[in-house]
Amino acid sequence: MLKRFFMLAMIAAAAFSCFALAEAAAIPDDVADRFSDTWVADGFSAEIWVDEGAFLCDMALKDDSFCEYRSCVWDAATDTLICSDGTRFFASYDEETLDYVHDDIATGLTAVFSEKDGRLTCEDSEGLLDGVVFLRLDEAEEIDAAAEFDPYLIGEWESPDGMSVLTIEKNPGGVHWDAEAVIARTHGALVFKATLRYDGERDCFVYDKGKFWDVPITDTGELPDLGEAKVAGAAGSFALTGDDSDLMLRWADDGNPDQETLFRRAGASS
């Protein structure tokens, strides 16, 4: 996802002195903050920044070509960044001149960037970015780092006595995980739900907005509508322990510091 980012930055720095900055109205700070960043997608990257009151944009595309736009103006009516006079090219480094040599592919290109909820999309005149959704570089790196835990964390777990079942799924945001536990009791069950995030300092998965419900046993065996939580704002952690041959999760809720629950993969022998 992040390849060619550094090459893009070097080309942008080398080409900056050649830009003729278009005169434009002052850019509101919140607009500059929303659009200005390094944005990445699978095989694509875009560098958008403000200099001397004007937007600038360079891109690296999936086919190993690059694109520079000489004019980028924010349109208040549509809340979009409209870029024009773009050139797409291949770049090679000249060891003698210590500079990049451009081999132009297309000129006179345009692109319209839209930002919503931290996602960037683009309608470009060549149609190369149709359906591509860009993330901020920091968020993309967080998602990539979180994905390393998915094989170990996601799935169904159960306590050794089979009375507690824990299910962990990936949160749609891509950085966190959603956990749901059902703990059987004599006259019902205790249901727990929380969103987990990885805490690097503690090397575990923590939550601080966990909820607990007391639910009755039904004839169908399915959980009824949960309604209002008995406990909200619960905090605690899940920690991976053991090894690949006997992977376990240790659950510690701050509301019950003297009680921990150990889970193994559902179906795994104890």
Side-chain angles (χ1 to χ4, degrees):
M1 177 184 288
L2 307 181
K3 71 176 185 178
R4 301 196 309 283
F5 160 60
F6 294 106
M7 185 175 181
L8 172 63
M10 292 175 67
I11 291 175
F16 175 72
S17 61
C18 299
F19 286 143
L21 300 179
E23 292 186 3
I27 302 170
D29 290 343
D30 64 316
V31 173
D33 290 342
R34 285 196 294 111
F35 283 96
S36 299
D37 213 325
T38 299
W39 301 85
V40 295
D42 186 15
F44 300 90
S45 60
E47 185 81 12
I48 299 175
W49 73 103
V50 174
D51 188 88
E52 296 185 8
F55 272 112
L56 296 173
C57 175
D58 292 333
M59 301 190 72
L61 306 178
K62 202 168 189 176
D63 64 354
D64 291 328
S65 67
F66 299 87
C67 193
E68 297 172 349
Y69 298 96
R70 295 181 181 274
S71 174
C72 292
V73 178
W74 175 64
D75 181 62
T78 60
D79 190 22
T80 58
L81 185 61
I82 301 175
C83 297
S84 59
D85 196 12
T87 299
R88 187 161 66 91
F89 58 91
F90 288 113
S92 58
Y93 190 67
D94 189 320
E95 295 288 351
E96 293 184 2
T97 64
L98 303 180
D99 200 355
Y100 283 94
V101 178
H102 292 191
D103 181 10
D104 290 352
I105 304 168
T107 59
L109 303 177
T110 62
V112 178
F113 292 92
S114 301
E115 186 279 334
K116 184 178 180 181
D117 299 329
R119 301 293 183 265
L120 188 77
T121 55
C122 179
E123 295 182 11
D124 66 296
S125 54
E126 293 185 294
L128 300 177
L129 299 173
D130 291 349
V132 177
V133 178
F134 290 85
L135 305 178
R136 297 184 187 276
L137 177 62
D138 289 347
E139 182 179 357
E141 289 178 332
E142 287 185 24
I143 291 174
D144 287 347
E148 297 181 6
F149 293 110
D150 289 350
Y152 303 98
L153 196 61
I154 292 175
E156 189 168 290
W157 303 76
E158 61 184 9
S159 60
D161 60 8
M163 300 297 288
S164 300
V165 176
L166 171 68
T167 303
I168 298 180
E169 300 176 344
K170 195 62 176 279
N171 183 275
V175 178
H176 303 141
W177 301 265
D178 293 329
E180 177 177 331
V182 180
I183 301 99
R185 291 184 167 182
T186 305
H187 300 293
L190 184 67
V191 175
F192 163 82
K193 291 187 178 185
T195 296
L196 313 179
R197 61 177 177 82
Y198 179 67
D199 185 322
E201 292 185 0
R202 297 173 59 185
D203 191 23
C204 64
F205 305 89
V206 300
Y207 59 91
D208 57 9
K209 296 181 181 178
K211 294 183 177 181
F212 288 90
W213 292 264
D214 274 326
V215 298
I217 296 175
T218 64
D219 294 337
T220 63
E222 297 181 357
L223 290 177
D225 292 337
L226 296 178
E228 186 176 352
K230 178 182 179 181
V231 176
S237 65
F238 289 85
L240 286 166
T241 184
D243 53 36
D244 290 345
S245 63
D246 188 20
L247 193 63
M248 294 174 284
L249 264 179
R250 188 177 302 277
W251 178 19
D253 185 77
D254 293 354
N256 298 282
D258 297 328
Q259 181 178 346
E260 293 185 340
T261 303
L262 195 64
F263 292 92
R264 282 188 170 89
R265 288 286 187 187
S269 58
S270 57

